Amino acid sequence: MIEVDTRHPAGRIERDIYGHFLESAFFGNIEGGVFDDGSPLSDGGPGVRAGFRQDVLALCRELGIPNVRWPGGNFTSPYHWEDGIGDRDARPRRLELAWGSEESNRFGTDEFLAWCADVGAEPFLVHGCRSVDDAVRWVEYTNYAGDTAYTRRRKDNGHPDPYRVRYWGVGNEPYGPWQMGHRPAAEYAAAAREHARFMRLVDPEIKLVACGSPWQQEEWTRPVLQQTGRLIDYLSLHLYGAATHSYTGRHGDDDYEAVVAQPVYFEQRIEEYAHLVAELSAEAGLERPPALALDEWNIRHLEPAEWPEPCPGPDGGTGVRELPEGAPADGARGLRVNRYSPRTLADALFYAGVFHTLHRSSALPAPVTMANTVNLVNANGLIVARPNGAVKSASYHVWDLYQNHTGPVALPTTVEGPARTAAVRQGDNRGPGGDFATRLGVVPHLDASAMLSADGRRLHVAVVNRHRDAAVSARVVRDGDPGGLPAVAEVRDLGVEVDDMLAANSLSDPDRVAVRHRRAVETPGGCYAFPAHSVTVLAFDLD
């Protein structure tokens, strides 16, 4: 049974939780993704939009993109935004220190903001938090309306009016030794406070995201909230799942059960951090805690580091390469992320489960009100772009289901039904020996999230059936009344006609994993059989 309470909403689901992420110099996010200089598929005209991939742009518009985080990611820490403005041909080509490549800077601030305007997305700019003056001048260039050297440069670059960029990140993962600008919590807190103070002096209307941490959370978060709590709107959290099918699948293990269970890990971490942030905010004397921004998240497809380097395949996914026979020498100990591995049906169920977690977080003392998946285009993204075209990945359809075919009002929802107890993989966290960290948890076969439309006239019930083989029947009960729902629902579902848990879309087979839409399906007494390995959204018209 799935019980839904429409009388006592749990909170509001912010559209920004369906946000995205682009990182410069990162496996085709920008060059070869949203921007492809000289491609016949790109805008060939003069001006700031020259090079924009039109097929990618069309798919982004079709989906509807609430916000996009840029320029990273790790790329952010050493980035100098002034390298990416002005005449493209005069911009400096730099050794890029995050990913060890070279950055052309042909896609910079004006290009990104023009691209967001064309898509209809809110831009989310992230500064490295290593130079207050650099951050202040960036806000001045984009948002200030007066007559200064920087606003004249903006005018000369084709945009006389302020862009009014609302979302700004203050640093990226400074807790990590892999970052330029890595520092202890107290030092980051002091730097973030100064950055936030002076960025707000340029534009008091901006919304600021400070860096939370996935590790040693209390030690990191306390000084950050004490020093910046009154100046920020969000505290970030980065979480990643992990999938091993790239190598275990060669021996019959598609890792399905571990993948679809990992939203339980996300829920545990988000709940724990939300309560910690609320407690530390009260300790710091704040009137309310900042909201959480899950501004990096995804599930990583891992493979043995000893294998030949992956490369992009022309049809989407990983290109052909010769792999060694037998099991990898070190098991889980020597792994890397395959950035070209396509999104699968199992991934789609994982994403839907995370969205349910984000919906439920609206009732937490520090809710998640923004989230940005890594990545939007290529590099395990929603859209896969290759020189000969672009295709919607399986994950694209999950975003479409939830942001375009559900409602913004989260409702208390409980599920009574079968479940399994499992050692839930704690994402891509591994112990000293290389084995994945796990935590015992209950993994229900059915996971449900119910939502009302803004006008309260339509009830949406989204259900993930994680069971690999069996449909699970359930009755949806509204406000304790078994007869409280219409006998007919509009149904959209994903995965129903796919038997392979690793099924993925490609340019030659773009609809292998796609949404099935049926306008009138009988649901007598609110009963419905949710198909195996599927995501279903039922929509009921209320009286």
Side-chain angles (χ1 to χ4, degrees):
M1 183 165 62
I2 300 171
E3 294 190 78
V4 178
D5 182 353
T6 65
R7 297 166 296 188
H8 305 95
R12 180 173 180 82
I13 300 168
E14 298 294 340
R15 187 170 173 81
D16 278 334
I17 69 167
Y18 304 116
H20 301 280
F21 176 104
L22 290 170
E23 183 154 15
S24 293
F26 190 73
F27 299 91
N29 271 206
I30 304 296
E31 298 196 20
V34 302
F35 176 77
D36 204 351
D37 236 348
S39 167
L41 300 175
S42 296
D43 186 324
V48 72
R49 290 171 171 80
F52 287 7
R53 275 282 293 261
Q54 296 303 293
D55 52 348
V56 172
L57 194 64
L59 292 178
C60 291
R61 284 174 174 157
E62 180 183 341
L63 179 61
I65 306 292
N67 66 77
V68 184
R69 183 177 185 243
W70 177 86
N74 291 345
F75 179 88
T76 295
S77 296
Y79 181 59
H80 296 284
W81 68 270
E82 289 189 66
D83 286 348
I85 62 173
D87 181 356
R88 278 187 192 164
D89 294 330
R91 296 178 190 176
R93 187 175 185 88
R94 301 285 192 195
L95 172 62
E96 189 279 309
L97 298 174
W99 303 107
S101 62
E102 294 181 1
E103 168 58 28
S104 74
N105 283 304
R106 293 181 68 78
F107 186 95
T109 298
D110 293 294
E111 285 80 11
F112 174 66
L113 297 179
W115 187 87
C116 285
D118 287 354
V119 169
E122 284 267 6
F124 174 8
L125 293 178
V126 187
H127 187 265
C129 194
R130 295 190 301 110
S131 166
V132 175
D133 187 65
D134 189 66
V136 164
R137 300 311 164 198
W138 203 6
V139 180
E140 180 182 354
Y141 179 84
T142 61
N143 288 15
Y144 186 57
D147 181 20
T148 69
Y150 280 97
T151 61
R152 290 173 193 167
R153 290 178 72 181
R154 184 184 69 219
K155 181 178 180 180
D156 291 343
N157 293 334
H159 207 280
D161 296 324
Y163 285 108
R164 304 196 186 282
V165 176
R166 192 161 50 138
Y167 297 127
W168 291 83
V170 186
N172 178 77
E173 298 181 356
Y175 48 80
W178 55 87
Q179 293 288 315
M180 182 181 288
H182 166 56
R183 69 205 91 163
E187 291 183 21
Y188 167 72
R193 178 187 61 200
E194 188 177 13
H195 278 70
R197 177 189 171 196
F198 286 98
M199 291 167 76
R200 283 199 183 280
L201 283 179
V202 180
D203 184 354
E205 301 301 316
I206 59 176
K207 303 291 185 182
L208 294 177
V209 184
C211 296
S213 174
W215 307 296
Q216 297 181 320
Q217 291 181 322
E218 185 170 346
E219 294 85 346
W220 179 272
T221 307
R222 177 177 281 110
V224 171
L225 288 174
Q226 287 174 340
Q227 297 203 52
T228 71
R230 290 176 175 81
L231 294 169
I232 64 171
D233 303 281
Y234 302 86
L235 203 58
S236 70
L237 180 64
H238 294 177
L239 294 175
Y240 286 93
T244 67
H245 66 267
S246 295
Y247 59 97
T248 59
R250 304 176 80 197
H251 308 284
D253 177 11
D254 60 15
D255 207 36
Y256 173 80
E257 303 292 354
V259 168
V260 299
Q262 285 177 79
V264 173
Y265 156 69
F266 273 60
E267 190 142 19
Q268 292 167 346
R269 295 303 306 274
I270 289 169
E271 285 187 359
E272 290 167 358
Y273 200 46
H275 286 289
L276 176 65
V277 168
E279 292 168 9
L280 296 179
S281 295
E283 180 185 299
L286 304 181
E287 291 184 6
R288 60 176 179 82
L292 298 185
L294 189 67
D295 59 6
E296 282 192 31
W297 73 279
N298 207 330
I299 187 162
R300 291 169 168 161
H301 291 183
L302 302 173
E303 67 175 28
E306 68 196 57
W307 283 5
E309 284 285 341
C311 59
D315 199 33
T318 307
V320 176
R321 53 187 169 151
E322 188 172 341
L323 300 179
E325 296 293 334
D330 296 323
R333 289 169 175 77
L335 298 177
R336 65 166 176 240
V337 182
N338 182 337
R339 307 289 181 183
Y340 305 109
S341 181
R343 302 292 90 180
T344 68
L345 174 60
D347 294 332
L349 270 63
F350 162 82
Y351 294 127
V354 173
F355 282 142
H356 291 188
T357 288
L358 300 184
H359 296 171
R360 289 189 283 268
S361 85
S362 63
L364 294 175
V368 178
T369 61
M370 178 185 285
N372 305 84
T373 192
V374 179
N375 295 277
L376 174 57
V377 182
N378 290 332
N380 315 133
L382 273 72
I383 296 168
V384 178
R386 293 293 186 262
N388 56 329
V391 65
K392 303 172 183 176
S393 75
S395 57
Y396 181 105
H397 296 291
V398 182
W399 263 255
D400 179 37
L401 272 178
Y402 281 86
Q403 71 178 44
N404 296 326
H405 302 292
T406 64
V409 181
L411 301 174
T413 308
T414 58
V415 178
E416 293 182 9
R420 64 186 178 94
T421 300
V424 177
R425 186 178 295 160
Q426 303 295 284
D428 192 11
N429 293 307
R430 285 167 264 169
D435 295 327
F436 289 106
T438 61
R439 180 173 171 180
L440 198 65
V442 176
V443 184
H445 291 327
L446 293 189
D447 183 17
S449 174
M451 297 142 279
L452 276 179
S453 59
D455 62 8
R457 300 176 64 182
R458 196 159 230 231
L459 172 65
H460 307 269
V461 182
V463 179
V464 179
N465 180 4
R466 298 180 173 119
H467 200 290
R468 176 193 291 269
D469 302 313
V472 178
S473 296
R475 168 174 286 178
V476 181
V477 176
R478 172 193 174 195
D479 300 332
D481 180 3
L485 287 174
V488 173
E490 184 175 8
V491 178
R492 288 178 170 86
D493 51 34
L494 182 71
V496 175
E497 297 169 344
V498 183
D499 294 328
D500 181 1
M501 305 303 110
L502 300 180
N505 295 337
S506 62
L507 269 72
S508 60
D509 192 0
D511 298 316
R512 190 176 182 199
V513 182
V515 172
R516 183 178 64 167
H517 180 203
R518 292 167 294 155
R519 297 190 180 279
V521 176
E522 291 186 2
T523 53
C527 292
Y528 191 80
F530 296 96
H533 57 262
S534 69
V535 183
T536 302
V537 176
L538 305 177
F540 297 95
D541 290 320
L542 303 180
D543 296 333

